[in-house]
Amino acid sequence: MSNKLRVLLTGGCGYIGSHTAVELMRAGHEVVIADNLVNSSAAVLPRIEELGGKKPAFYNVDVCDKAALDDLFNRESVDAVIHFAGLKCVPESVEKSTLYYRNNLTSTINLLERMADHGVNYIVFSSSATVYGEQDTMPLREDMPTGACTNPYGMTKHMSEIIIRDAAKASDSLGAVLLRYFNPIGADASGRIGEDPQGIPNNLLPYVAQFATGRRKRLFVNGNDYPTRDGTCIRDYIHVTDLAIAHIKALEFIVGKQGHEVFNIGTGNGYSVLEVIEAFSKACGKELKYEFAPRRAGDIPTCYADPSKAERLLGWRAERDLKRMCEDTWRWQSNNPMGYGK
Ligand code: NAD
Ligand code: UFG
């Protein structure tokens, strides 16, 4: 196998997948995308081409669909898969739990089976810090217990980790990397691709960015009585480009190996909601007037990574700071106030 890989990205039209497609292409790899566009737009594809310098092969398929995935693997010879496809809205997962279990688990199982049938041996999976649940100590390390998740979305990530781990244990050829993302924010420095959530954003950064453009009228800070330095929740925000590059490092690590390995992908620094709003205010040059609101159900006070294992074994660490994350988010949001214009 040459150093240049041909990689299938399930969910490659989404926020993290599109940034990873661009970074893979910038590094000289080839990209094939499979996405059913349930939470994304095909309008991202010409922009991936513009930034990556080459048109990615695109298949509008549901990763849960056995025949469609067989057909894709028959047409496309790929060296590895990065499995981003999944539903990710925490409150929706509470209301529609079976939809989340079916989509996120069936896609993972179907993908593993089709990979085995077609001789594709390497997978990198999008997991989440949510698998740690609430822990007594920070930072979070990969060897801490997982699975005490507070919502069905988190459970699908935990269960998918187990499914992939067990498949790797049983196989003499499968190599798998599970990446536990912390809080991805930011956008490609070009401002041409970025996060484009449907409806009212659940997550802090896309909401703040839309508030700064005037698309959202009020900004609420959920809870100011947490046991943190300013009473608001602390998270480990990571630039999506650093996260995208971590996937390339993960592929370089696993291709040619058998077994499975898990990595935290975060910066190791925690910022409070108020610190993020202040950093964003500086980046966009506007005062952002917020209001305190009650705590959001299920939020934990503090969550940040120990990312040292990724540095040690992958040779990866985050390079972009919070200022850069906010500046790049603002470039994307101000240039594309309605996102991809769905
Ligand atoms: P996203 O919604 O922007 O991207 C996911 C993509 O998967 C979308 O393009 C969607 O259309 C596609 N998809 C969903 N189900 C599919 C299916 N059955 N078949 C084909 N395509 C399907 O989300 P994102 O933020 O880019 O997240 C990517 C992955 O990373 C997800 O698995 C998510 O759970 C995980 N993750 C995200 C975060 C975050 O904060 N963004 C944090 C931790 C983990
Ligand atoms: N927040 C506000 N106002 C808003 C939106 C969010 O104050 O308008 C607060 C939240 O209450 C929380 C903090 O900002 O205190 C961060 O919230 P996010 O939703 O941005 O991030 P979370 O850490 O809660 O959630 C993210 C992912 C989930 C994943 C979780 C754990 O969105 O998918 O990390 O990994 F499960």
Side-chain angles (χ1 to χ4, degrees), residues 96-130:
K96 302 179 183 174
S97 62
T98 52
L99 171 70
Y100 272 66
Y101 286 115
R102 181 164 51 76
N103 190 71
N104 292 3
L105 299 182
T106 309
S107 59
T108 301
I109 294 166
N110 190 37
L111 187 60
L112 288 168
E113 290 180 342
R114 304 287 73 73
M115 285 172 64
D117 288 351
H118 295 268
V120 179
N121 290 327
Y122 307 107
I123 183 168
V124 176
F125 174 66
S126 300
S127 190
S128 166
T130 197

Side-chain angles (χ1 to χ4, degrees), residues 24 39 137 142 158 328:
L24 279 164
N39 195 41
T137 54
E142 291 86 348
H158 174 62
D328 287 343

